[in-house]
């Protein structure tokens, strides 16, 4: 397997192999609150993958230091919210998040969406190529924010690549699964 983890800059990383959920990479997700629509994905990282977890934590810390100088008046506030969350605590009823950390990443810009098959990288064409539940790599930019009294570090989505299939997390099945008993698909 290829080595996906890579520090791009202090606050920018490539992570993988991770699992994706809540994938909105082909069409932006509309928000009910009137805020602009965004593309996004939830990145699920097994806790045992300490290399990836540490890479995320280092980028978050670098974003905090940037925020200290650019947003928060020379010091890192004690109550800074982190985008990295514990699935065993924050999603305890969801089996897909058990034993994992996760973070949500979004962007107003459409991410590049690729597929890696047999050593060949190609464009993902639709939700059959990239979906909630597949595995792959992602590039992210971590940034400090201050909004409505909240201070924290968020994750900006850049690009994603699917490296292998996984059980769909969207709750739906494919037409092939539903009709496999009727003949050859």
């Amino acid at each position: 397997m290829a080595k996906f983890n890579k520090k791009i800059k202090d606050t920018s990383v490539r992570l993988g192999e991770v699992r994706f959920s809540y994938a909105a990479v082909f069409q932006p997700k509309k928000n009910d609150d009137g805020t602009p629509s965004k593309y996004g994905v939830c990145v699920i990282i097994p806790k045992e993958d300490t290399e990836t977890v540490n890479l995320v934590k280092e980028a978050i810390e670098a974003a905090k230091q940037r925020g200290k100088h650019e947003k928060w008046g020379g010091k890192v506030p004690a109550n800074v919210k982190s985008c990295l969350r514990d699935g065993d605590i924050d999603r305890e009823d969801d089996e897909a998040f058990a034993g994992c950390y996760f973070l949500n990443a979004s962007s107003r810009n459409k991410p590049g969406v690729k597929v890696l098959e047999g050593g060949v990288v190609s464009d993902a064409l639709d939700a059959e190529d990239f979906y909630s539940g597949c595995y792959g790599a992602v590039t992210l930019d971590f940034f400090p924010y201050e909004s409505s009294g909240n201070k924290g570090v968020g994750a900006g989505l850049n690009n994603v690549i699917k490296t292998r299939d996984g059980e769909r997390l969207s709750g739906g099945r494919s037409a092939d699964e539903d009709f496999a008993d009727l003949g050859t698909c």
Side-chain angles (χ1 to χ4, degrees):
M1 163 128 24
K3 182 168 171 40
F4 294 107
N5 285 342
K6 180 179 177 181
K7 182 178 182 178
I8 299 169
K9 295 188 301 189
D10 286 348
T11 58
S12 298
V13 295
R14 181 177 69 195
L15 306 175
E17 186 176 71
V18 297
R19 191 169 192 199
F20 298 105
S21 186
Y22 301 101
V25 296
F26 295 104
Q27 295 291 325
K29 183 179 180 206
K30 297 191 185 320
N31 297 315
D32 295 334
D33 63 3
T35 57
S37 299
K38 290 185 179 181
Y39 296 90
V41 69
C42 179
V43 178
I44 303 172
I45 307 165
K47 288 180 179 177
E48 65 210 25
D49 184 355
T50 55
E51 180 185 348
T52 302
V53 171
N54 288 336
L55 193 59
V56 170
K57 288 180 177 180
E58 289 171 13
I60 288 172
E61 188 57 38
K64 284 181 184 178
Q65 293 307 309
R66 202 171 99 199
K68 171 182 172 180
H69 302 291
E70 295 175 7
K71 300 253 182 214
W72 305 323
K75 66 179 187 174
V76 176
N79 61 343
V80 171
K81 294 181 181 184
S82 174
C83 57
L84 185 64
R85 297 166 48 195
D86 188 327
D88 293 320
I89 296 169
D90 295 329
R91 297 279 173 89
E92 65 184 66
D93 295 333
D94 192 332
E95 192 177 297
F97 291 82
C100 296
Y101 290 108
F102 71 97
L103 60 88
N104 295 311
S106 64
S107 175
R108 290 191 184 130
N109 300 319
K110 186 178 188 322
V113 185
K114 302 288 186 178
V115 176
L116 175 62
E117 291 179 301
V120 177
V121 175
S122 59
D123 289 331
L125 302 176
D126 56 29
E128 291 300 313
D129 285 338
F130 191 96
Y131 54 88
S132 295
C134 71
Y135 292 83
V138 59
T139 55
L140 304 169
D141 290 324
F142 293 90
F143 59 90
Y145 68 84
E146 183 170 357
S147 176
S148 303
N150 295 313
K151 298 173 184 172
V153 174
L157 175 62
N158 290 321
N159 301 295
V160 294
I161 187 168
K162 180 181 92 173
T163 55
R164 66 182 170 102
D165 288 310
E167 181 180 340
R168 290 182 181 272
L169 298 176
S170 60
R173 296 179 307 272
S174 72
D176 288 343
E177 292 170 314
D178 283 349
F179 303 121
D181 65 326
L182 299 177
T184 306
C185 290

